Amino acid sequence: MQILDGKIVSQAVKDAVKEKTSLLLAAGKKTPHLAAILVGSDGASETYVASKVKSCEEIGYKSTLIRLDPNIEESVLIEAIEKLNADVDVDGILVQLPLPKQISEEKIINLIHPDKDVDGFHPMSAGKMVQGLPTFLPATPYGIMMMLEHYKVETKGKHAVVIGRSNIVGRPISILLNRNTYPGNCTVTVCHSHTPNLKDICLQADIIVAALGRPGFLTADMVKENAVVVDVGITRVADASKKSGFAIKGDVDYANVAPKCSFITPVPGGVGLMTIAALMMNTYNACVAKNK
Ligand code: NAD
């Protein structure tokens, strides 16, 4: 069993982006600039945004963090995005999800200019991804693809089962694994909360991507020998033994599933780190495309 190590791969990606960025600056081009908007102070969202800002610093990007009160009206966030869309110095915009109930996530995502859509959530980016055209890939699926590539995991002709069909993870990873590229060329089954016989389907899988947000959902009896298992789940579970009062749990019962696998991602230390590395890559690409 080989661990797909998010620490190693994300560092390699960030080092490569850092190198490319220093070449960019040496050529007299502008510094890539990522702007993040955080509405409210949800603990997990705070952590994610802080990691993204820290990665920008490590690589040498400029970053701007805009904090907004959780009780704002939608119009305040709209105005903030319109300003960033118009700001020529800003290359990438990300709005940390989830948003408070009074704000429509769909409306907000659609408002981000597609050229600055480094999270890859805009319908324009999603449509291009489906057609295999160059675009910003959503960060988590993109990070998973980079991880499979780094470890040279064979995907051609494999049966991949994706559990979860959200617009940010399940659906896009199912499309990327199915594309006529490497990694890709899988036959993909997408499962969701209404899928009957999920265990039988998982037992046919060469590759399983678990992205449903239920800690420990994928158990050893659902996984065939030598399967590749990618655990996307991140759930905070109360744990009095931790200083923070919680532990981060994935969707896979790691201790029992790992011995059966050819490759597996741990949580933490797996896909989560790759998501940030992919975001950094998208920001670099946005900057280069916008400032030719
Ligand atoms: P979501 O709630 O939007 O979607 C969950 C999906 O799982 C839905 O499509 C639903 O149909 C399916 N599902 C729920 N229960 C199921 C069941 N019992 N059987 C089969 N399918 C079931 O969630 P999301 O935004 O896609 O996130 C999923 C998980 O991934 C969460 O834990 C989230 O925190 C995590 N996540 C991690 C990263 C990362 O960087 N590692 C990024 C995004 C999301």
Side-chain angles (χ1 to χ4, degrees), residues 34-92:
L34 176 68
I37 303 181
L38 176 60
V39 185
S41 54
D42 168 74
S45 294
E46 287 271 3
T47 310
Y48 297 146
V49 169
S51 305
K52 290 167 188 177
V53 169
K54 188 166 162 254
S55 289
C56 285
E57 283 163 9
E58 279 169 28
I59 291 171
Y61 291 172
K62 187 173 167 186
S63 67
T64 300
L65 173 57
I66 298 171
R67 290 175 169 276
L68 297 173
D69 188 89
N71 301 313
I72 52 160
E73 286 185 25
E74 195 178 66
S75 59
V76 176
L77 181 54
I78 289 175
E79 200 181 314
I81 293 171
E82 281 171 347
K83 258 195 201 152
L84 295 175
N85 278 342
D87 186 338
V88 288
D89 191 59
V90 171
D91 301 301

Side-chain angles (χ1 to χ4, degrees), residues 44-258:
S45 294
E46 287 271 3
T47 310
Y48 297 146
V49 169
S51 305
K52 290 167 188 177
V53 169
K54 188 166 162 254
S55 289
C56 285
E57 283 163 9
E58 279 169 28
I59 291 171
Y61 291 172
K62 187 173 167 186
S63 67
T64 300
L65 173 57
I66 298 171
R67 290 175 169 276
L68 297 173
D69 188 89
N71 301 313
I72 52 160
E73 286 185 25
E74 195 178 66
S75 59
V76 176
L77 181 54
I78 289 175
E79 200 181 314
I81 293 171
E82 281 171 347
K83 258 195 201 152
L84 295 175
N85 278 342
D87 186 338
V88 288
D89 191 59
V90 171
D91 301 301
I93 302 170
L94 82 86
V95 178
Q96 187 63 46
L97 302 179
L99 292 170
K101 289 201 166 41
Q102 74 276 17
I103 300 176
S104 157
E105 288 189 356
E106 189 187 338
K107 196 172 187 179
I108 295 304
I109 287 168
N110 290 2
L111 201 69
I112 295 170
H113 194 290
D115 292 348
K116 300 188 180 188
D117 176 38
V118 287
D119 256 339
F121 295 161
H122 192 284
M124 186 89 89
S125 308
K128 285 185 178 175
M129 177 191 66
V130 170
Q131 296 200 350
L133 300 170
T135 188
F136 300 114
L137 299 178
T140 302
Y142 184 19
I144 294 171
M145 298 301 271
M146 289 199 273
M147 211 175 207
L148 296 174
E149 188 175 8
H150 182 97
Y151 284 95
K152 301 184 171 57
V153 175
E154 181 59 84
T155 57
K156 188 164 73 176
K158 303 293 181 190
H159 180 202
V161 169
V162 177
I163 313 175
R165 58 177 166 186
S166 73
N167 282 340
I168 64 169
V169 190
R171 201 181 307 280
I173 191 66
S174 74
I175 289 161
L176 295 179
L177 286 171
N178 181 248
R179 294 206 308 194
N180 184 9
T181 53
Y182 175 76
N185 280 310
C186 292
T187 304
V188 182
T189 304
V190 184
C191 301
H192 47 78
S193 46
H194 297 282
T195 302
N197 308 323
L198 189 66
K199 180 179 168 185
D200 294 344
I201 297 168
C202 287
L203 280 169
Q204 294 168 33
D206 303 305
I207 300 170
I208 300 178
V209 179
L212 67 162
R214 306 264 160 123
F217 179 88
L218 190 78
T219 47
D221 60 330
M222 299 168 79
V223 179
K224 78 174 179 187
E225 288 292 334
N226 292 320
V228 177
V229 171
V230 176
D231 189 352
V232 184
I234 297 183
T235 306
R236 289 182 168 201
V237 177
D239 184 341
S241 72
K242 304 267 179 200
K243 213 169 127 196
S244 59
F246 63 83
I248 301 290
K249 295 282 177 206
D251 288 342
V252 176
D253 173 11
Y254 186 88
N256 294 308
V257 170

